[in-house]
Amino acid sequence: MIMLKSKIPFTALLVCLFLTNIASAQPFFLQNDSIPVKINGNTILNPWAGGLNFIQISEIDLNLDGIKDLFIFDRTGNKIRTYINAGTANAVDYKYDPKYESKFPKLHDWALLRDYNCDGKEDIFSYSDYGGGFNVYKNTSSIATGLQFTLVKQLTYSIYNPPAGGLINLYISSVDIPSIADIDNDGDLDVVTFAITGTFMEYHQNQSMELYGTCDSLKFQMKNRCWGYAAESPLNNKFTLHDTCFGNVANPGIIEINSDQRSADRHSGSCEICMDLNGDGAKDIVVGGISYNNLTSVMNGGSPTSANMISVDTLFPANNSSTSAVNLTQFPCAYYLDVNNDGKKDLIVSPNSSGSENFNSVIFYKNTGTTNFPVFQFQQSNFLQDNIIDVGEGAYPVFFDYDNDGLKDLFIGNYGYYGSPNYQSKIAQFKNTGTASNPKFDLVTRDYNNLSTLGKLNLAPAFGDMDGDGDGDMIIGMFDGKLFYYENTALSGAPASFVTTPITLKNSSNRAIDVGDFAAPQIIDVDNDGKNDIVIGGRSGKLAFYHHTGSATATIPVLDSVSHFWGNVKVIQYGYVTGYSYPCLFKQAGVTKLLVGAENGYLRLFDNIDGNISGAFTLVDSTYLNIYEGAHTSPTATDINNDGYLDFMIGNYQGGAAFYKGVSSLSETIENNDNTIHWNLEVFPNPADNSVTIHILNNTTSRFQVEIYNVMGQIISSQKIFNSSLGISTENLSQGIYVFKVVELATEGKVKSGALTKRIVIQH
């Protein structure tokens, strides 16, 4: 009884704090895909999925419905993206669904999903935090817990000198991507990767079946230091067959290796995937190299237990199936999975490094043969990219009503589309063809005003009235840290018409404004004097503030530096010397706030700005709302749907954008008591300690799903409810208030209209 009395005031305090936070922290922002977008006249399916550059793709059942979905790891910013597969037979049918992304651990450099313990659930193999190898996360998902992973290996080891040799980390560099496959067809997963010095491929055999008779262990030993007796030239990506392999002997060919040998110069980088290309049961290999634009297949004329490479094809898969060969600028890597729901694995190819194709960078070859005897036919070079907003590398969104129809249009600058020999930077123009409350965007052009003809790199646009004539002028920040100014000379009420030749903005001393590199401007009246000023981000991670000191109506504005370290804002992460700041000043309940995008992808929120523009601002949150959209984030804000709440658009270096809708409160967004609901809900106990139980009333036949949200509106769990009841462990939830949203599922797994919600207090 004493404990109960002590809990009551604590709970009441939590409720008071919750209500206070709603009042003081409005608006809430929730990731949203409700704004339709057309490209080339077609409404695209996943416009706000964030762009794709250099991806590694795997399959996994994310929502535990028995259908394999897509896990995409983009090397650009180490960004994870998750797509749900509708499962339509013989069709590519994916919907971007970001709520599963937070379920994965923080991964970097490379990540492959493979089922190592034969439970039907893909586990994670990824470059280790310790370097020089890989870690493994076991997939421990269940209907009760939803998608989850448990670390089982921080660094994976192999016996390099069997049978009595010591364990050494199974070396794979951060640049390489290994083949993780069942090479000897015994049921467990082995590893084939290039040696630390390159040239030869190492075969590390998993001893799980040999030692335990099961596939659920990761016990590796070197089986062959020169797998298949093929050697790649150190000068190019050509192979020599039947190599004598100095230091190796036949079947399996093991000599001792020491740490001095393993510390030799590393090779430059390669990716491998083993698959059976001709149906003989022996794994062949497809290889990509960091300095080359092709894939090379090497055919295995041996057996699953004794590889012997007998032929090389540098035009893969052209000679495999009379289709076009891979030609992808630099470092193409192959992935083998069924993406069109026909039961046969297809070939997906994407670059594994920057400095390569970034717009048509995901190639899809359909398999018209079988998984073990594939016949590949080229389908497209922009798989998934054809249904998202993607402007190559870098995306800098900003809103501007260019045609004066009262609707805010969308402009997105970029670092550039890959081209040889140079990148080509452009600004994409999307016209708002919707209404004031229901925006829609149609792509007008990828090269607004033919700005690519400038020959400048990294175009970051800003719009605002700089000459006091009532229309929006244009300023473009560039790679060299300078700014181009375009006066809008249109008549009142007419669409924007910018001067043909830009002016380099200068200060009153006639010196060009220069913030170093990667100028990212915002036009805004900082000091409320009726004249628009400029705040500029840049590579330094700081902000520069240039005050409009000239006449409000001067054709060319006069701007003078107040500070190149404005507000003491610096968004450089620990261990880096660059920050790539991108400013977004906005008003929240009449108070000026500052959101800053950065190289590390997280958004920083600052306040204490009003009345303090010469002082130091206060960092409120260094990972605002835990939003992570990839590297080099670039936020912009406006009330795009005129509902009275600010919305955010966030660009990233993958060339895409995400839309975050502002809402009045968390409950408004997730409550929907529709009259089609003919069931009720109870969640107990409340307050809860280590567990809660969800019980569905008045319905014993339907299936249900529960989503758990924190007070910021972020979904933290999604689980199915069977037999009208579900117990959920809350041991790992922090103390606070959570919202449980329950929906009914139709027979095909889709959500019926209507939902019921309960607020639950967790206290431990």
Side-chain angles (χ1 to χ4, degrees):
M1 181 66 69
I2 295 175
M3 289 182 64
L4 180 61
K5 285 182 178 179
S6 67
K7 284 185 177 182
I8 291 175
F10 175 74
T11 302
L13 176 61
L14 281 176
V15 173
C16 290
L17 288 173
F18 177 68
L19 295 174
T20 302
N21 285 337
I22 283 182
S24 63
Q26 293 182 17
F28 290 91
F29 298 96
L30 298 177
Q31 193 164 4
N32 188 281
D33 64 354
S34 62
I35 300 180
V37 176
K38 284 186 177 181
I39 293 179
N40 298 327
N42 299 314
T43 300
I44 59 177
L45 299 178
N46 302 295
W48 310 108
L52 299 171
N53 281 345
F54 318 119
I55 73 166
Q56 302 156 21
I57 186 170
S58 302
E59 61 183 7
I60 182 176
D61 186 359
L62 296 166
N63 56 358
L64 308 181
D65 64 352
I67 301 172
K68 296 299 184 183
D69 309 300
L70 290 185
F71 165 88
I72 293 176
F73 178 80
D74 199 318
R75 202 169 187 116
T76 307
N78 297 315
K79 174 60 182 171
I80 294 169
R81 298 210 181 271
T82 50
Y83 284 77
I84 295 298
N85 186 359
T88 305
N90 301 303
V92 175
D93 193 1
Y94 296 97
K95 181 66 177 176
Y96 178 60
D97 194 339
K99 70 172 173 280
Y100 300 97
E101 294 169 5
S102 63
K103 306 298 181 184
F104 288 86
K106 192 71 174 176
L107 306 173
H108 53 93
D109 295 294
W110 61 264
L112 301 172
L113 305 190
R114 303 287 188 267
D115 178 12
Y116 82 84
N117 57 353
C118 306
D119 62 356
K121 298 180 291 188
E122 282 74 18
D123 311 292
I124 302 172
F125 293 74
S126 182
Y127 189 64
S128 174
D129 292 338
Y130 290 90
F134 62 95
N135 54 27
V136 180
Y137 291 84
K138 182 179 179 180
N139 187 336
T140 54
S141 306
S142 68
I143 296 298
T145 63
L147 185 68
Q148 64 178 21
F149 299 92
T150 301
L151 180 66
V152 294
K153 294 279 186 180
Q154 291 184 315
L155 194 61
T156 307
Y157 293 85
S158 181
I159 299 175
Y160 274 76
N161 305 301
L167 290 171
I168 306 175
N169 58 296
L170 202 170
Y171 182 83
I172 298 168
S173 79
S174 61
V175 179
D176 286 8
I177 298 179
S179 177
I180 301 172
D182 185 3
I183 300 300
D184 53 6
N185 295 338
D186 67 349
D188 55 24
L189 290 182
D190 312 299
V191 175
V192 171
T193 185
F194 271 94
I196 194 171
T197 54
T199 304
F200 299 122
M201 291 177 287
E202 297 177 344
Y203 167 35
H204 295 262
Q205 184 187 55
N206 191 347
Q207 297 291 293
S208 183
M209 292 298 297
E210 286 79 2
L211 293 174
Y212 312 116
T214 64
C215 59
D216 61 358
S217 297
L218 296 165
K219 300 285 187 180
F220 294 100
Q221 72 173 27
M222 177 81 80
K223 193 66 174 176
N224 198 309
R225 202 165 284 124
C226 179
W227 187 62
Y229 303 99
E232 186 182 42
S233 168
L235 303 177
N236 52 49
N237 63 342
K238 297 184 183 302
F239 279 82
T240 299
L241 302 179
H242 313 299
D243 192 284
T244 55
C245 301
F246 175 77
N248 200 10
V249 294
N251 194 28
I254 300 297
I255 63 168
E256 290 201 3
I257 186 170
N258 57 48
S259 58
D260 290 336
Q261 289 173 294
R262 295 184 78 248
S263 63
D265 292 338
R266 280 107 171 116
H267 72 126
S268 55
S270 61
C271 52
E272 304 85 52
I273 183 168
C274 292
M275 61 179 83
D276 187 356
L277 291 172
N278 59 1
D280 65 355
K283 294 294 191 300
D284 312 295
I285 193 163
V286 176
V287 180
I290 194 170
S291 301
Y292 305 98
N293 64 346
N294 66 308
L295 287 177
T296 298
S297 64
V298 187
M299 299 300 293
N300 186 354
S303 69
T305 56
S306 182
N308 181 30
M309 301 305 173
I310 60 173
S311 66
V312 179
D313 179 8
T314 59
L315 297 177
F316 182 80
N319 297 323
N320 166 266
S321 51
S322 299
T323 190
S324 57
V326 169
N327 183 1
L328 202 50
T329 311
Q330 179 174 281
F331 207 174
C333 293
Y335 307 91
Y336 201 38
L337 67 162
D338 180 12
V339 298
N340 62 347
N341 297 303
D342 65 355
K344 297 173 290 189
K345 291 187 177 182
D346 308 295
L347 187 71
I348 301 294
V349 183
S350 185
N352 192 44
S353 70
S354 59
S356 185
E357 177 61 56
N358 54 31
F359 181 55
N360 292 290
S361 61
V362 185
I363 302 176
F364 167 31
Y365 289 89
K366 179 181 176 180
N367 183 358
T368 60
T370 66
T371 293
N372 292 325
F373 202 148
V375 177
F376 296 119
Q377 295 297 327
F378 173 82
Q379 301 296 300
Q380 62 185 116
S381 60
N382 58 349
F383 177 70
L384 297 180
Q385 292 173 303
D386 59 343
N387 272 296
I388 60 178
I389 292 175
D390 194 326
V391 296
E393 280 180 65
Y396 314 120
V398 65
F399 293 102
F400 169 56
D401 181 8
Y402 79 94
D403 53 3
N404 277 299
D405 63 355
L407 303 176
K408 299 180 181 70
D409 308 294
L410 176 64
F411 293 77
I412 305 178
N414 72 354
Y415 175 80
Y417 298 94
Y418 180 82
S420 182
N422 300 313
Y423 278 76
Q424 192 172 54
S425 301
K426 303 178 182 179
I427 295 176
Q429 174 194 11
F430 294 82
K431 176 177 170 57
N432 188 343
T433 60
T435 65
S437 58
N438 291 292
K440 298 178 182 179
F441 294 114
D442 287 10
L443 177 66
V444 177
T445 176
R446 291 189 178 273
D447 192 9
Y448 181 64
N449 254 26
N450 295 314
L451 292 171
S452 63
T453 60
L454 291 172
K456 298 292 187 178
L457 195 61
N458 200 73
L459 304 183
F463 296 93
D465 186 5
M466 297 302 299
D467 56 5
D469 62 357
D471 56 27
D473 305 298
M474 179 169 64
I475 292 176
I476 297 176
M478 295 169 291
F479 175 84
D480 61 6
K482 297 182 175 62
L483 305 173
F484 273 169
Y485 170 61
Y486 290 82
E487 182 191 2
N488 185 352
T489 60
L491 298 175
S492 178
S497 177
F498 297 110
V499 296
T500 304
T501 304
I503 294 170
T504 300
L505 277 181
K506 299 180 179 180
N507 61 18
S508 58
S509 300
N510 203 37
R511 292 182 179 176
I513 294 173
D514 189 344
V515 297
D517 297 310
F518 288 86
Q522 181 185 10
I523 299 173
I524 187 169
D525 184 1
V526 172
D527 57 354
N528 298 308
D529 66 353
K531 296 182 293 184
N532 277 328
D533 311 297
I534 304 178
V535 177
I536 316 168
R539 186 174 183 267
S540 68
K542 302 176 183 179
L543 297 181
F545 170 35
Y546 277 78
H547 184 223
H548 195 318
T549 58
S551 167
T553 59
T555 301
I556 302 174
V558 177
L559 298 142
D560 281 307
S561 173
V562 173
S563 172
H564 273 238
F565 192 11
W566 191 48
N568 285 6
V569 170
K570 189 176 183 180
V571 296
I572 296 176
Q573 60 181 318
Y574 180 77
Y576 282 65
V577 295
T578 57
Y580 295 92
S581 53
Y582 192 101
C584 175
L585 285 147
F586 63 95
K587 293 285 188 182
Q588 182 177 319
V591 178
T592 302
K593 305 285 185 178
L594 171 63
L595 200 63
V596 185
E599 181 177 15
N600 75 347
Y602 289 103
L603 304 174
R604 290 166 172 81
L605 180 67
F606 295 84
D607 65 9
N608 189 28
I609 299 166
D610 292 325
N612 185 40
I613 62 173
S614 297
F617 304 152
T618 301
L619 177 62
V620 177
D621 194 338
S622 61
T623 57
Y624 184 58
L625 298 184
N626 285 322
I627 291 172
Y628 183 77
E629 287 299 328
H632 294 240
T633 42
S634 50
T636 190
T638 193
D639 180 7
I640 191 61
N641 53 8
N642 287 289
D643 62 357
Y645 302 105
L646 201 65
D647 308 300
F648 281 127
M649 196 76 75
I650 302 171
N652 59 61
Y653 206 68
Q654 293 144 245
F659 174 57
Y660 284 78
K661 181 181 178 182
V663 296
S664 62
S665 68
L666 177 63
S667 60
E668 176 187 293
T669 303
I670 64 176
E671 288 185 8
N672 181 15
N673 296 315
D674 190 285
N675 59 14
T676 61
I677 296 176
H678 303 292
W679 46 275
N680 211 333
L681 168 71
E682 61 180 10
V683 184
F684 57 89
N686 189 14
D689 184 2
N690 294 322
S691 66
V692 296
T693 297
I694 299 174
H695 189 57
I696 308 298
L697 305 175
N698 307 325
N699 189 312
T700 59
T701 59
S702 297
R703 290 193 306 157
F704 296 85
Q705 178 175 290
V706 59
E707 295 177 343
I708 304 175
Y709 294 79
N710 61 21
V711 294
M712 300 309 296
Q714 299 164 317
I715 185 169
I716 59 174
S717 178
S718 177
Q719 302 177 37
K720 299 288 195 309
I721 302 174
F722 296 97
N723 301 320
S724 301
S725 186
L726 174 67
I728 299 177
S729 172
T730 57
E731 290 181 339
N732 295 325
L733 294 182
S734 302
Q735 293 189 150
I737 292 180
Y738 296 83
V739 176
F740 284 51
K741 172 190 174 184
V742 177
V743 295
E744 185 179 357
L745 300 177
T747 54
E748 66 272 20
K750 296 182 179 179
V751 176
K752 289 185 177 180
S753 61
L756 292 178
T757 62
K758 296 286 185 180
R759 288 186 178 83
I760 301 297
V761 176
I762 305 297
Q763 64 179 84
H764 302 297

